[in-house]
């Protein structure tokens, strides 16, 4: 991947809630810029938009679009009583977690509303009638095995040959973190359709070869 071009972000990325390491975010930015010649970009799991700003900023630079798929009700670990619950994102009226207002505000602050297309729906529902070929798919949704496998099976088939699949939170050693992203990473390699390009911390970047 091209690494010489400095990245251009429209705001201080640390003002956005999220769990993406800056090195991983910069890798996503460069990957989205490179993949823009192949088709639109799609991410599964936007949360409050940290990864969306990296990806969307590259799409704006390249006059491309980013589809941001998230039901905005939070993953398992974001629910009340769980490790990553954030009370600021809990809607007292509905008694549900809701990150969409925060996400939308961040897209407006970043000036990305012309390039980022939010799709507020579960991943499988959004994919049900999807037909648009994609240059890059970034998977960072629910980390249960069922959710991760659903995301992989729903979206990887839409990546064009030469396009990219990026998977976040890959931990080969169970002591370091959950195994669901690592399992779909192994599924992708075992399929014979993807090859590893590089690992950036916990971000696995694969290319579709057929």
């Amino acid at each position: 991947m091209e690494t010489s071009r400095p990245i251009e972000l429209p705001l201080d990325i640390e003002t956005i809630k999220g769990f993406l390491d800056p090195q991983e975010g910069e890798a996503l930015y460069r990957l989205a810029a490179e993949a823009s010649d192949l088709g639109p970009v799609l991410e599964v799991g936007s949360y409050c938009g940290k990864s969306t700003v990296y990806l969307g900023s590259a799409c704006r630079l390249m006059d491309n679009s980013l589809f941001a798929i998230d039901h905005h009700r939070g993953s398992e670990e974001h629910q009340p009583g769980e490790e990553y619950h954030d009370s600021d994102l809990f809607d007292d009226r509905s008694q549900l977690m809701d990150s969409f207002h925060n996400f939308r505000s961040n897209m407006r602050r970043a000036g990305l509303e012309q390039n980022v297309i939010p799709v507020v729906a579960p991943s499988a529902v959004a994919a049900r009638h999807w037909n648009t070929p994609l240059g890059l798919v970034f998977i960072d949704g629910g980390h249960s095995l069922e959710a991760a496998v659903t995301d992989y099976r729903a979206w990887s088939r839409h990546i064009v040959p030469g396009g990219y699949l990026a998977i976040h939170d890959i931990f080969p050693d169970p002591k370091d973190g959950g195994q669901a992203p690592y399992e779909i990473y192994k599924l992708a390699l075992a399929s014979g359709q993807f090859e590893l390009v590089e690992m950036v911390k916990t971000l696995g970047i694969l290319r579709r070869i057929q």
Side-chain angles (χ1 to χ4, degrees):
M1 293 188 302
E2 173 62 46
T3 59
S4 60
R5 178 187 293 168
I7 72 166
E8 302 171 12
L9 297 180
L11 48 67
D12 179 0
I13 198 68
E14 294 308 315
T15 64
I16 299 179
K17 295 176 185 288
F19 312 99
L20 189 70
D21 181 272
Q23 289 184 36
E24 296 170 339
E26 291 180 13
L28 286 175
Y29 177 98
R30 299 184 195 285
L31 190 62
E34 182 173 329
S36 287
D37 288 340
L38 301 172
V41 176
L42 183 143
E43 73 169 351
V44 182
S46 303
Y47 193 48
C48 294
K50 181 165 282 190
S51 60
T52 320
V53 167
Y54 281 107
L55 293 166
S57 297
C59 287
R60 183 172 64 180
L61 178 71
M62 305 302 290
D63 194 25
N64 198 14
S65 295
L66 165 64
F67 295 95
I69 312 292
D70 199 313
H71 49 58
H72 288 283
R73 294 302 188 192
S75 300
E76 301 85 353
E77 63 270 20
H78 298 141
Q79 304 311 313
E82 299 299 325
E83 182 178 2
Y84 293 106
H85 176 65
D86 185 336
S87 59
D88 290 342
L89 301 177
F90 190 75
D91 181 4
D92 290 327
R93 291 169 299 179
S94 65
Q95 288 295 295
L96 294 169
M97 188 271 190
D98 189 348
S99 58
F100 184 60
H101 176 78
N102 193 290
F103 170 86
R104 191 171 187 180
S105 175
N106 288 330
M107 292 309 102
R108 185 171 61 252
R109 289 198 302 123
L112 293 175
E113 292 178 309
Q114 299 303 307
N115 296 92
V116 174
I117 304 160
V119 181
V120 184
S123 177
V125 174
R128 191 176 293 158
H129 300 293
W130 190 271
N131 289 308
T132 302
L134 299 166
L136 164 63
V137 168
F138 172 51
I139 296 179
D140 191 22
H143 282 21
S144 70
L145 183 59
E146 179 182 7
V149 170
T150 295
D151 292 341
Y152 168 70
R153 289 179 174 165
W155 298 107
S156 64
R157 60 195 178 94
H158 296 292
I159 301 170
V160 300
Y164 296 95
L165 171 65
I167 302 170
H168 191 224
D169 289 334
I170 294 175
F171 296 106
D173 189 336
K175 295 196 298 292
D176 296 328
Q179 293 294 284
Y182 182 51
E183 291 301 320
I184 63 169
Y185 165 79
K186 292 190 294 183
L187 279 177
L189 291 177
S191 73
Q193 296 183 320
F194 293 92
E195 63 180 359
L196 179 63
V197 176
E198 67 173 316
M199 290 290 303
V200 179
K201 295 200 168 181
T202 73
L203 178 70
I205 298 171
L206 300 92
R207 180 188 293 112
R208 182 160 193 168
I209 53 179
Q210 59 174 312

